[in-house]
Amino acid sequence: MALIVQKYGGSSVADAECVKRVAQRIVATKKAGNDVVVVVSAMGDTTDDLIDMAEQVSPLPPARELDMLLTAGERISMALLAMAIANLGHEARSFTGSQAGVITDGAHGKAKIIDVTPGRIRAALDEGSICIVAGFQGVSQGTKDITTLGRGGSDTTAVALAAALEADCCEIYTDVDGVFTADPRIVGAARRIPRISYEEMLEMAASGAKILHLRCVEYARRYNIPIHVRSSFSQKEGTWVVDSSDIEGHEMEQAIISGVAHDRSEAKITVVGVPDKVGEAATIFTVLSEAEINIDMIVQNVSAASTGRTDISFTLPASDGQSALAALNKLKERIGFESLRYDDRIGKVSLIGAGMRSHPGVTATFFAAIADAGVNIEMISTSEIRISVVVAQDDIDTAVAAAHRAFDLDAEQVEAVVYGGTGR
Amino acid sequence: MALIVQKYGGSSVADAECVKRVAQRIVATKKAGNDVVVVVSAMGDTTDDLIDMAEQVSPLPPARELDMLLTAGERISMALLAMAIANLGHEARSFTGSQAGVITDGAHGKAKIIDVTPGRIRAALDEGSICIVAGFQGVSQGTKDITTLGRGGSDTTAVALAAALEADCCEIYTDVDGVFTADPRIVGAARRIPRISYEEMLEMAASGAKILHLRCVEYARRYNIPIHVRSSFSQKEGTWVVDSSDIEGHEMEQAIISGVAHDRSEAKITVVGVPDKVGEAATIFTVLSEAEINIDMIVQNVSAASTGRTDISFTLPASDGQSALAALNKLKERIGFESLRYDDRIGKVSLIGAGMRSHPGVTATFFAAIADAGVNIEMISTSEIRISVVVAQDDIDTAVAAAHRAFDLDAEQVEAVVYGGTGR
């Protein structure tokens, strides 16, 4: 008998019909002889509706109370889901994050999980119950206030519970069939990736693939929890996110490249005319870090000998753009830079694949494909298993399609190469 | 510095504007130098909407999960209220029933409060916070499941917290100005009652006055918590519900009669032709009690000597009518009664007043007033401080108005008599 943790997102439980369909899937898993723990998000637009209500009473609601408000969303969906399962003749019990033992720090709105003590879940499982747990929420250590985990929180709840319960796997249900080699809306020939390593999935997530959140993959990697990303609207196998040793050992002909990700949510700031002195770059990024702004890519041009000045460009979430500009402008005198340039019409295209470590020429092929498509590269950054380039936002689709084709990822071409292994 | 517990019902926090207005009232109480604990119900129709959702997924939702679902309602209203108060520059913290230490038994949907351990509330008060507590909910002893208190639950939460915190008083805010001598929709001249004893208020509540629930008044009486029933839409004094010793000592000329209450929600069942043997009535009412049906008034006719049979009539909530008929029909053979008659076109009119103890002739005046108005009395029941009669439902308004007039309760007539005391 396996223990399976399933997570259903808001679109999977958007209305009563959806809730009933999900209940059937859960009961089927139970009937197949498994213990089942389900993590559920708030229904459809509930969270947005609650935020609207908060804005109507206060322009800047206290974070503690916003968390108290938002956690009403999962309370509703989890109780309804438990009712729908009971209506199918199976015992189901719902638990808040606090009841499920999800202990967090006190950072309201973006709490981190410190510990999971699922004693009540285990007891309910032992009594034969299906357990429904509210995603996205926990209770703070010490003060015992209700907290929310922030973006991707429900996925993280699911993986954290799977780890604490030593579950056999964690199924993340979504509205697509799994992780694809590129966004199918851009590349019609994009294929589902049957198996991918945690590291590649992390790079995919960091590069704009929205299907799994960074935190959840990091958690799964740390505790070695296999994640199965699949659709709640079909019975198809999805994508398994697993330890790299579980891939390379089984698949004889590992794909060089897993996929092409893209991200439209970033902006680029260029600090023009920075005096080329030791420590200026450090000052700039210390200030941005103090303003809690996450920097992604950084490029520093070679200093022009004639002026002794240089330009520093970096990318960041466009939503942080205005606060970053404000923070830097306060520093203008101290650093003595000339001006700031801001561009939010950019995009990032990333090539991800553990195989590129051992295959020379990947970078050259990638740049050539983009150049041949007539797209100009503005910035470049690389890691062991990823190459990212910044291009004009209008060029993203062209660049993604070109890279996808250049690495033989299009479905009709590469079945033999990429599915070379045994799969699962 | 006083400690005041305030309770706001669903209509007082029906939308964002209402929430903001209530926040101002709370802040004004705090600014006047009081510690404030606020108990709040779910907004407007939230509870009904949640029940609708439950019915969409299951015809008979498990009670535990229904409680989990419904408690989302107060979670939303209390968080919004705390935000609105914070927006006025005051520290406010919201607490679930569980966090506030409202410990109940495990009877989901109609849980009873076993204990209140408001340690977190007291600590927050000591830190200068206004505390907002979810009404209507608690956590079960032992199993630590979320429970709801059933009808009138938020009022009971408020009084129970007031008792546990040794508050100076409990203000129950509603959409009318207090307790009236009769329903102002029936008797235009009805007056607000400035002070009433717990006992009279209990009889009013039991007789159909919907303004305070029985349980809440019982709780207040047991712990001697003064209740101030008042409108959230005005600054007027409302009605104080207090210990009778606090009335008779202060008010020289205690009103004989507090008011006239009525109730349209009951039905009458007549068990026709019951053999006049010892124990038959007991059998009937044991069966009804086992079916958890609350009986109100009972009348047994004198047995007709010729047949050796009698009729037993009783009233009960009309909502329990069908289950009572079913329970009795199962018993038909055993008791050997002839038939059952069911009438839900009845109503109850009650005269309430501690003063009637010491004033003879009240009963006669009451019956005469009703008879003079041309209304037929079907059943009668009395207590120390109440006389109730059952009449045809269409005659209720006439009977209420006639009784109100006969006891000089109409506003223009009686100011001198009823306000004879010092009031408060």
Side-chain angles (χ1 to χ4, degrees):
Chain A
M1 184 161 71
L3 169 55
I4 296 178
V5 175
Q6 300 187 328
K7 180 261 172 176
Y8 294 92
S11 61
S12 299
V13 291
D15 58 29
E17 286 315 305
C18 292
V19 168
K20 287 195 237 179
R21 200 186 50 231
V22 164
Q24 279 169 346
R25 185 180 280 269
I26 293 165
V27 166
T29 309
K30 173 77 180 168
K31 276 188 177 165
N34 303 295
D35 277 342
V36 190
V37 174
V38 176
V39 172
V40 69
S41 303
M43 297 169 82
D45 301 324
T46 309
T47 303
D48 290 339
D49 292 346
L50 290 172
I51 289 174
D52 282 352
M53 288 168 85
E55 283 170 355
Q56 284 176 44
V57 299
S58 171
L60 202 70
R64 178 190 187 278
E65 299 305 323
L66 197 55
D67 279 359
M68 185 66 94
L69 180 72
L70 295 185
T71 50
E74 292 84 38
R75 201 175 188 88
I76 294 171
S77 56
M78 72 183 188
L80 291 175
L81 188 51
M83 290 176 193
I85 292 170
N87 195 40
L88 297 174
H90 284 258
E91 165 88 13
R93 269 181 261 174
S94 65
F95 297 91
T96 64
S98 167
Q99 291 177 334
V102 180
I103 317 291
T104 72
D105 61 20
H108 287 288
K110 50 181 177 185
K112 285 197 174 55
I113 296 176
I114 295 175
D115 195 8
V116 182
T117 54
R120 294 184 64 174
I121 305 295
R122 214 182 288 273
L125 288 173
D126 289 347
E127 289 168 18
S129 264
I130 295 169
C131 296
I132 317 291
V133 178
F136 178 68
Q137 58 179 248
V139 62
S140 65
Q141 208 172 31
T143 59
K144 295 203 184 305
D145 284 321
I146 305 300
T147 53
T148 67
L149 307 180
R151 282 177 157 275
S154 291
D155 290 356
T156 309
T157 303
V159 172
L161 266 174
L165 291 165
E166 299 177 334
D168 295 275
C169 79
C170 178
E171 298 182 342
I172 306 274
Y173 284 91
T174 176
D175 49 5
V176 295
D177 281 332
V179 183
F180 279 70
T181 51
D183 186 335
R185 285 168 299 188
I186 295 181
V187 182
R191 303 176 298 99
R192 181 181 59 84
I193 304 173
R195 288 164 81 77
I196 189 170
S197 69
Y198 297 123
E199 291 74 16
E200 288 165 290
M201 195 64 230
L202 280 174
E203 293 283 8
M204 293 282 271
S207 304
K210 293 191 182 63
I211 198 150
L212 281 182
H213 201 268
L214 215 53
R215 290 169 66 186
C216 145
V217 185
E218 282 169 352
Y219 212 109
R221 179 191 185 202
R222 194 173 326 135
Y223 292 94
N224 199 15
I225 302 295
I227 298 179
H228 187 186
V229 182
R230 58 194 304 196
S231 168
S232 65
F233 298 88
S234 81
Q235 297 293 336
K236 287 183 207 164
E237 277 276 297
T239 296
W240 283 89
V241 186
V242 293
D243 191 81
S244 56
S245 66
D246 292 335
I247 299 181
E248 289 170 342
H250 290 85
E251 301 191 16
M252 299 300 294
E253 199 163 354
Q254 162 71 0
I256 297 171
I257 299 300
S258 293
V260 183
H262 69 277
D263 189 348
R264 297 179 206 272
S265 69
E266 297 202 333
K268 182 175 76 169
I269 289 178
T270 303
V271 189
V272 180
V274 181
D276 197 2
K277 289 184 296 188
V278 172
E280 294 301 1
T283 311
I284 289 174
F285 293 108
T286 302
V287 165
L288 293 170
S289 147
E290 281 165 6
E292 299 206 2
I293 291 161
N294 282 316
I295 301 305
D296 181 17
M297 293 163 67
I298 302 175
V299 171
Q300 178 166 359
N301 292 348
V302 176
S303 170
S306 56
T307 61
R309 285 171 181 272
T310 183
D311 298 343
I312 297 178
S313 294
F314 59 89
T315 63
L316 75 176
S319 53
D320 286 340
Q322 293 312 313
S323 21
L325 291 175
L328 288 173
N329 267 322
K330 273 198 216 148
L331 211 74
K332 191 171 181 187
E333 299 270 305
R334 218 173 97 206
I335 306 187
F337 64 80
E338 287 164 8
S339 62
L340 295 174
R341 278 207 300 266
Y342 182 71
D343 183 2
D344 60 3
R345 303 285 307 149
I346 62 153
K348 188 169 69 167
V349 175
S350 304
L351 190 71
I352 290 119
M356 70 173 75
R357 283 192 199 121
S358 51
H359 287 71
V362 168
T363 309
T365 307
F366 182 49
F367 291 170
I370 290 176
D372 288 350
V375 173
N376 184 42
I377 296 175
E378 298 184 21
M379 293 169 81
I380 297 170
S381 101
T382 60
S383 81
E384 281 280 285
I385 59 171
R386 178 186 51 79
I387 314 170
S388 298
V389 296
V390 168
V391 300
Q393 205 161 73
D394 293 342
D395 288 337
I396 290 179
D397 292 8
T398 312
V400 169
H404 200 265
R405 206 178 314 110
F407 287 93
D408 293 339
L409 293 172
D410 290 8
E412 57 280 19
Q413 301 170 15
V414 293
E415 204 73 18
V417 178
V418 178
Y419 283 116
T422 54
R424 170 162 176 173
Chain B
M1 185 161 71
L3 169 56
I4 296 178
V5 175
Q6 299 185 329
K7 180 262 172 176
Y8 295 91
S11 61
S12 299
V13 292
D15 58 29
E17 286 314 305
C18 291
V19 169
K20 287 195 236 177
R21 201 186 48 231
V22 164
Q24 280 169 345
R25 186 180 278 270
I26 294 166
V27 166
T29 310
K30 173 78 179 167
K31 276 189 176 164
N34 303 294
D35 277 342
V36 189
V37 174
V38 176
V39 172
V40 69
S41 303
M43 297 168 83
D45 302 324
T46 309
T47 303
D48 290 339
D49 292 347
L50 290 171
I51 289 174
D52 283 352
M53 288 168 86
E55 282 169 356
Q56 284 175 43
V57 300
S58 171
L60 203 71
R64 178 190 187 277
E65 299 305 324
L66 197 56
D67 278 359
M68 185 65 95
L69 180 72
L70 295 185
T71 50
E74 292 84 37
R75 201 176 188 86
I76 294 171
S77 56
M78 73 183 188
L80 291 175
L81 188 52
M83 290 174 192
I85 292 170
N87 196 40
L88 297 174
H90 285 257
E91 164 88 12
R93 269 180 261 176
S94 66
F95 297 91
T96 64
S98 168
Q99 291 177 333
V102 180
I103 316 293
T104 72
D105 62 21
H108 287 288
K110 51 181 177 187
K112 285 197 176 55
I113 296 177
I114 295 175
D115 196 9
V116 182
T117 53
R120 292 184 65 175
I121 305 295
R122 214 183 288 273
L125 288 174
D126 289 347
E127 289 168 17
S129 264
I130 295 168
C131 296
I132 316 291
V133 178
F136 178 70
Q137 57 179 247
V139 63
S140 66
Q141 208 171 31
T143 60
K144 296 204 185 301
D145 284 321
I146 305 301
T147 54
T148 66
L149 307 181
R151 283 178 155 272
S154 290
D155 290 356
T156 309
T157 303
V159 171
L161 267 174
L165 292 165
E166 299 178 334
D168 294 276
C169 79
C170 178
E171 297 182 343
I172 306 275
Y173 284 91
T174 176
D175 49 7
V176 294
D177 280 332
V179 183
F180 278 70
T181 51
D183 185 335
R185 284 167 299 186
I186 295 182
V187 181
R191 303 177 298 101
R192 182 180 58 83
I193 303 172
R195 287 164 82 74
I196 189 170
S197 69
Y198 296 124
E199 291 75 15
E200 288 165 290
M201 195 65 230
L202 280 174
E203 292 284 7
M204 295 280 273
S207 303
K210 293 193 182 63
I211 199 150
L212 281 182
H213 200 269
L214 217 53
R215 289 169 66 187
C216 145
V217 185
E218 281 169 352
Y219 213 109
R221 179 191 184 201
R222 194 174 326 135
Y223 292 94
N224 198 15
I225 302 295
I227 299 180
H228 187 185
V229 182
R230 58 194 306 196
S231 168
S232 66
F233 297 88
S234 81
Q235 297 292 336
K236 285 184 206 161
E237 277 276 295
T239 297
W240 283 89
V241 186
V242 292
D243 190 81
S244 57
S245 66
D246 292 335
I247 298 182
E248 291 170 342
H250 292 84
E251 301 191 17
M252 299 299 294
E253 199 162 354
Q254 162 71 0
I256 298 170
I257 299 301
S258 293
V260 184
H262 70 278
D263 190 349
R264 296 179 206 273
S265 69
E266 297 202 334
K268 183 174 74 168
I269 288 178
T270 303
V271 189
V272 180
V274 181
D276 197 3
K277 290 184 296 190
V278 172
E280 294 301 2
T283 310
I284 289 173
F285 293 108
T286 303
V287 164
L288 293 170
S289 147
E290 281 165 6
E292 299 206 1
I293 291 161
N294 282 317
I295 302 303
D296 182 17
M297 294 162 68
I298 303 175
V299 171
Q300 178 166 358
N301 293 348
V302 177
S303 169
S306 56
T307 62
R309 284 173 182 272
T310 185
D311 298 342
I312 297 177
S313 295
F314 58 89
T315 61
L316 74 176
S319 53
D320 286 340
Q322 294 311 313
S323 23
L325 291 175
L328 289 173
N329 268 322
K330 271 198 220 151
L331 213 72
K332 192 172 179 186
E333 301 270 304
R334 218 172 97 203
I335 307 187
F337 64 81
E338 288 163 8
S339 62
L340 295 173
R341 279 209 297 266
Y342 181 72
D343 182 3
D344 60 3
R345 302 286 306 151
I346 62 154
K348 189 169 67 166
V349 176
S350 304
L351 190 71
I352 290 121
M356 70 173 73
R357 282 192 199 119
S358 51
H359 286 72
V362 168
T363 309
T365 308
F366 182 50
F367 291 171
I370 290 175
D372 289 349
V375 173
N376 186 43
I377 296 175
E378 297 183 23
M379 293 170 80
I380 297 170
S381 103
T382 60
S383 81
E384 281 280 287
I385 58 172
R386 176 186 51 80
I387 313 169
S388 298
V389 295
V390 167
V391 300
Q393 205 161 73
D394 293 342
D395 288 335
I396 289 178
D397 292 9
T398 312
V400 169
H404 200 265
R405 207 178 312 110
F407 287 93
D408 294 339
L409 293 171
D410 290 7
E412 57 280 18
Q413 300 169 16
V414 293
E415 204 74 18
V417 177
V418 180
Y419 283 115
T422 54
R424 168 160 176 174

